[in-house]
Amino acid sequence: DTAVSQTPKYLVTQMGNDKSIKCEQNLGHDTMYWYKQDSKKFLKIMFSYNNKELIINETVPNRFSPKSPDKAHLNLHINSLELGDSAVYFCASSQDLADTSTNEKLFFGSGTQLSVL
Amino acid sequence: AQKVTQAQTEISVVEKEDVTLDCVYETRDTTYYLFWYKQPPSGELVFLIRRNSFDEQNEISGRYSWNFQKSTSSFNFTITASQVVDSAVYFCALSEAWTGFQKLVFGTGTRLLVSP
């Protein structure tokens, strides 16, 4: 069973369209994330949710709206897609690191390659 | 502010050579976590190691070893007797403890090419 699964793996779409990427984790983790990896392989956090509450929003445009129906799911909806949105988007999950005695790590999904034409 | 620098953009070695990937970090926090992730050509991100700032003990796991030096703010990664399967992009990352959650700041990655 895949720990963090995201769909679709590839997404090709036209500028101006609205699209969603789904993410699910079966690890029982409290926290989920979206990271963006650009064409130069640079990875940057976009959002973090803990128990369905938004915790981190790294100055991402309003066109990006994460939605967490429950703590096992964190979907990413993107409105009015632009060329610059082309990237690989990674979903991830972890236990709450506030408990620093745990030796937790971030589990990543396999990524969704978004191409905006 | 936190920052992670991986000055080596790409390294090419021949199989069985040892190779060290450098990582230098900046943080004002006294409690932080350092990570290495591997991204093979298939694209997924594979966790390799996490180290907290209070544990400067070096770690060895098979052919992999890590050298954490707080004095130089470095967390270098060495692969001994490299293999073709080690070819990947390797990312060093930092997380400050005060964030409570894993807000990882990644370096720009080092692409390792191991040829037969």
Side-chain angles (χ1 to χ4, degrees):
Chain A
D1 266 350
T2 305
V4 181
S5 59
Q6 49 182 114
T7 55
K9 188 166 175 62
Y10 300 98
L11 186 52
V12 181
T13 188
Q14 300 285 332
M15 243 172 41
N17 284 350
D18 302 338
K19 290 292 178 186
S20 291
I21 307 172
K22 294 185 177 180
C23 179
E24 175 182 5
Q25 54 95 3
N26 61 8
L27 298 164
H29 285 163
D30 297 320
T31 310
M32 295 186 71
Y33 313 78
W34 278 106
Y35 278 80
K36 178 180 179 181
Q37 186 174 42
D38 64 22
S39 57
K40 295 183 179 178
K41 294 284 191 182
F42 185 59
L43 267 160
K44 188 171 164 57
I45 191 168
M46 299 173 68
F47 300 104
S48 167
Y49 268 72
N50 179 260
N51 280 315
K52 303 192 297 174
E53 303 271 336
L54 178 66
I55 302 299
I56 295 173
N57 180 344
E58 285 292 298
T59 59
V60 177
N62 292 340
R63 299 182 295 103
F64 290 79
S65 52
K67 286 186 172 48
S68 183
D70 54 61
K71 74 173 193 177
H73 294 84
L74 180 62
N75 304 322
L76 183 64
H77 189 76
I78 315 170
N79 288 329
S80 304
L81 278 155
E82 300 177 357
L83 293 177
D85 298 332
S86 296
V88 180
Y89 292 84
F90 285 96
C91 178
S93 74
S94 73
Q95 270 297 22
D96 187 346
L97 244 199
D99 176 5
T100 54
S101 66
T102 64
N103 189 25
E104 268 302 326
K105 62 190 183 193
L106 213 54
F107 289 80
F108 282 90
S110 54
T112 295
Q113 186 165 329
L114 172 64
S115 300
V116 183
L117 307 177
Chain B
Q2 346 168 29
K3 185 179 176 184
V4 176
T5 301
Q6 294 180 255
Q8 304 150 309
T9 306
E10 185 169 307
I11 302 175
S12 292
V13 298
V14 177
E15 229 177 357
K16 297 184 184 174
E17 280 185 33
D18 299 347
V19 58
T20 295
L21 282 60
D22 297 332
C23 174
V24 174
Y25 62 91
E26 292 175 32
T27 176
R28 293 181 183 173
D29 209 352
T30 54
T31 303
Y32 51 91
Y33 305 91
L34 295 163
F35 302 79
W36 276 94
Y37 278 85
K38 174 182 179 181
Q39 188 173 38
S42 49
E44 73 272 24
L45 283 157
V46 179
F47 169 85
L48 295 178
I49 190 171
R50 162 187 151 150
R51 170 69 73 227
N52 77 52
S53 53
F54 297 113
D55 182 3
E56 280 195 77
Q57 204 167 14
N58 291 331
E59 178 147 344
I60 298 174
S61 175
R63 296 184 298 105
Y64 295 170
S65 62
W66 290 269
N67 183 358
F68 176 29
Q69 303 242 341
K70 281 179 84 168
S71 58
T72 55
S73 297
S74 64
F75 187 44
N76 296 338
F77 172 34
T78 297
I79 302 175
T80 304
S82 59
Q83 300 175 2
V84 172
V85 293
D86 296 326
S87 297
V89 180
Y90 290 86
F91 292 95
C92 181
L94 165 73
S95 172
E96 290 176 341
W98 70 269
T99 65
F101 308 96
Q102 289 219 33
K103 180 183 171 183
L104 289 185
V105 172
F106 283 87
T108 49
T110 296
R111 183 182 297 276
L112 175 64
L113 299 169
V114 182
S115 52

